[in-house]
Structures are given as structure tokens and as C-alpha cells.
């Protein structure tokens, strides 16, 4: 059905969503063994930054030229799309349940659609909007926001900040100059994000615990050890996820890319079932099916054709 640039972009977007979805089980295996959530975040970002910087040093895909051309975009990507979304989400968890924080963060696609419509003046097709509504309703079923809800304004504020940062991930990647390769955007952004998290850890905003003596790091009932779990978190859920995501957005755009990213919730639920033994409820299964259906509607919709200017006859 899909060929060429769009087909490749959709495949990369799905790969990005699935690999991002695996980050939850990988990180939980570490936190259950004694790491702090922020410690897992720092290792995830720092390890990915190290790998990407080595690749950049070997390939040299015009890093300095990209920094000169897209410096502000690279800074925004590192501060908001890499560090900001994780810092905001984990701070939201201090005040509201995980389900509420997750639902607030995944308002990001709605912000992307609003920005594209109101600021960029790009019309959105009815099929895209309908698919978005179905997918978001499915998201609410997966996270089951109505169970044990305790709302505090601090948690709502941090959750909305996470949504803004998530939206920036798609919008900045979409608008960064075409001369900036995805690996440069991801590598420089990951490095800046790591610096931000380290600074927040130093000043005490983010408590960071990395226990290298941790045992009982369980995935699928097997103690894989913290080095294996951390490696999976870095390579699969960071390097591959970010590179695939940026490359996908360049091909299919921010609106469609942000909605395909909702598959991350489904991937996370399935991975948690297989790797952590957390069996989804029937309601969550229905919600996952709705997300899949909504995303399918979105990716099969056609962009509204541009209106050709009317040519008046010569007088």
C-alpha cells in the first residue's frame, strides 16, 4: 500500500515506537533491583550519547556545519525533547499516579496537531482527526485513568510540561534543516540532554542512584544482570529509538509521526506482559486495539491536496 519515502517513514516510526515502548520494562528491571528512576535515565542518555558521539567522530557527517545552521534547533531538541520530557514525566510521578502522568504526556500528539493547524496553517484531514480521537480514547482505556486517581496541581503541571516536551520532539525534528542528518540531531541532542540531567542531579533536583552491585535484574523471569539491562536500555530504547524516530519524522512529518508514536503505549503493555509478567486486563486489550485502529486510520489517510491558485484569463 505504501511505497517509497512514506512507506520507509512509517516503518521507521513503528520501529521507533516499539523500541521506545521497551524502555519501560528495561528500566523497571533496574529500578526493582535498587536503581533510582533518574539513575536509569542518566545511564540511558549518557550511554546513548557516548555511542552516538563515537559514531559521529568516525563518520563526521558535517557536525560543525549542522551546529552553525541548526544550533537553536539542536539546543531545543537536547533540552526539551531529550532531557525535558523525562525530567517532567518523572517529577509528575511524584504527585499523580502513573496512569495520569502517562495520559498527560501523551497529549503531545494533540499539541502537535494544534501547532501544525494553527501556526503552520496546514489543514488536517477528517480521517486523521477521527483516527486521533479513537487512538486517544484507546489510550485512556489502556492507562485506566479512572482507577485510584489522585490529582494535585503540581502533578498536572509537570504532566503538561511533559506533553509540551514530547511535542517538541516531533516538531523540532520535523523543522530542523534538511542538511542536519538524523544522527547529528540525535547525537548532539542526547549529549546536551545528558549534561542537563547531570546538572540537575548535582544540584539535587533529581536524586540519582546507580547501584553497580545490584542483583535480581529480572527480564522474563531470568536474572540478566544490570549490565545487560542497561545495554538494552541504551542501545535498543535510546540509540535505535531516537535515530529511527528522527528519520521517520523527516519522511512522514510531525503530525503523522506523533500519532504513530501512540503505538509506544501498546508496545510497552505487551513488553511488560512478556518480560515482567504484568498481564493486561480485557479493558486494556480493547484500548490497545483502538489505538492500533486509530493509528491505522491516520497512516492510511491522505494529506489534503494543496489548493492551486486560480489563473485569470488575460485581459
Amino acid at each position: 500500500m505504501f511505497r517509497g519515502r512514506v512507506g520507509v517513514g512509517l516503518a521507521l516510526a513503528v520501529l521507533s515506537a516499539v523500541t521506545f515502548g521497551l524502555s519501560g520494562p528495561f528500566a523497571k528491571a533496574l529500578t526493582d533491583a535498587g536503581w533510582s528512576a533518574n539513575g536509569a535515565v542518566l545511564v540511558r542518555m549518557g550511554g546513548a550519547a557516548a555511542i552516538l558521539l563515537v559514531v559521529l567522530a568516525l563518520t563526521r557527517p558535517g557536525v560543525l556545519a549542522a551546529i552553525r545552521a541548526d544550533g537553536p534547533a539542536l539546543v531545543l531538541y537536547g533540552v526539551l525533547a531529550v532531557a525535558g520530557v523525562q525530567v517532567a514525566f518523572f517529577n509528575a510521578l511524584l504527585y499523580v499516579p502513573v496512569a495520569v502522568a502517562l495520559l498527560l504526556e501523551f497529549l503531545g500528539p494533540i499539541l502537535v496537531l494544534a501547532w501544525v493547524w494553527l501556526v503552520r496553517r496546514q489543514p488536517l484531514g477528517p480521517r486523521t482527526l477521527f483516527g486521533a480521537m479513537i487512538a486517544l480514547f484507546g489510550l485512556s482505556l489502556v492507562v485506566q485513568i479512572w482507577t485510584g486517581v489522585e490529582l494535585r496541581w503540581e502533578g498536572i503541571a509537570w504532566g503538561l510540561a511533559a506533553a509540551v516536551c514530547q511535542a517538541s520532539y516531533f516538531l523540532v525534528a520535523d523543522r530542523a534543516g534538511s542538511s542536519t542528518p538524523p544522527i547529528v540531531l540525535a547525537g548532539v541532542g542526547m549529549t546536551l540532554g545528558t549534561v542537563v540531567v547531570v546538572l540537575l542531579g548535582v544540584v539535587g533536583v533529581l536524586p540519582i542512584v546507580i547501584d553497580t552491585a545490584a542483583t535480581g535484574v529480572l527480564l522474563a523471569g531470568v536474572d540478566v544482570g544490570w549490565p545487560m539491562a542497561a545495554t538494552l536500555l541504551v542501545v535498543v530504547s535510546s540509540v535505535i529509538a531516537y535515530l529511527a524516530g528522527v528519520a521517520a519524522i523527516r519522511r512522514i512529518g510531525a503530525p503523522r509521526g506523533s500519532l504513530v508514536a501512540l503505538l509506544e503505549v501498546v508496545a510497552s503493555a505487551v513488553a511488560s506482559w512478556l518480560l515482567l509478567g504484568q498481564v493486561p486486563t480485557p479493558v486494556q486489550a480493547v484500548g490497545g486495539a483502538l489505538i492500533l485502529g486509530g493509528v491505522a486510520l491516520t497512516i492510511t489517510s491522505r494529506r489534503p491536496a494543496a489548493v492551486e491558485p486560480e489563473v485569470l484569463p488575460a485581459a
Side-chain angles (χ1 to χ4, degrees):
M1 182 182 296
F2 299 105
R3 297 179 180 177
R5 183 181 180 88
V6 173
V8 173
L10 290 173
L12 288 170
V14 172
L15 174 63
S16 178
V18 170
T19 49
F20 270 129
L22 290 171
S23 64
F26 295 156
K28 184 165 178 55
L30 292 169
T31 56
D32 285 349
W35 288 37
S36 70
N38 295 311
V41 167
L42 179 58
V43 168
R44 175 187 184 184
M45 295 172 55
I51 292 174
L52 292 171
L53 287 178
V54 169
V55 175
L56 289 175
L58 294 175
T59 59
R60 299 182 180 180
V63 177
L64 294 179
I67 292 175
R68 288 193 295 266
D70 286 328
L74 291 170
V75 172
L76 283 176
Y77 191 81
V79 173
L80 296 179
V82 177
V85 66
Q86 299 187 63
V87 171
F89 180 74
F90 283 117
N91 274 277
L93 295 180
L94 298 176
Y95 303 100
V96 296
V98 175
V100 177
L102 189 64
L103 188 62
L104 289 170
E105 179 188 352
F106 274 89
L107 291 177
I110 299 301
L111 298 180
V112 171
L113 294 179
W115 181 274
V116 169
W117 180 32
L118 298 175
V119 178
R120 295 186 185 175
R121 304 292 183 181
Q122 296 177 4
L124 302 171
R127 194 167 180 173
T128 296
L129 295 175
F130 184 58
M133 289 189 293
I134 291 177
L136 287 172
F137 178 67
L139 173 64
S140 69
L141 295 182
V142 172
V143 301
Q144 297 188 12
I145 189 175
W146 56 85
T147 59
V149 175
E150 180 183 352
L151 300 181
R152 291 179 54 179
W153 71 266
E154 301 98 323
I156 299 298
W158 279 114
L160 292 176
V164 171
C165 292
Q166 191 202 54
S168 72
Y169 164 77
F170 299 101
L171 294 172
V172 173
D174 192 26
R175 291 301 297 268
S178 58
S179 60
T180 301
I183 193 170
V184 174
L185 183 60
V188 175
M190 195 70 68
T191 302
L192 291 174
T194 301
V195 172
V196 171
V197 172
V198 169
L199 292 176
L200 292 175
V202 169
V203 301
V205 175
L206 298 178
I208 296 175
V209 177
I210 300 174
D211 185 5
T212 57
T215 58
V217 184
L218 301 177
L219 288 174
V222 178
D223 187 352
V224 299
W226 73 262
M228 176 59 73
T231 299
L232 291 171
L233 186 63
V234 168
V235 176
V236 176
S237 298
S238 299
V239 175
I240 295 176
Y242 274 95
L243 288 179
V246 173
I249 295 166
R250 295 286 176 83
R251 289 168 171 82
I252 62 177
R256 184 176 284 176
S258 65
L259 292 173
V260 175
L262 288 171
L263 293 176
E264 177 184 339
V265 180
V266 180
S268 181
V270 174
S272 297
W273 174 24
L274 298 176
L275 298 177
L276 302 177
Q278 298 178 353
V279 181
T281 66
V283 172
Q284 289 176 317
V286 171
L290 288 175
I291 292 176
L292 293 174
V295 170
L297 280 175
T298 299
I299 64 179
T300 55
S301 65
R302 295 182 178 180
R303 294 184 180 182
V307 178
E308 298 290 339
E310 181 181 1
V311 180
L312 298 178

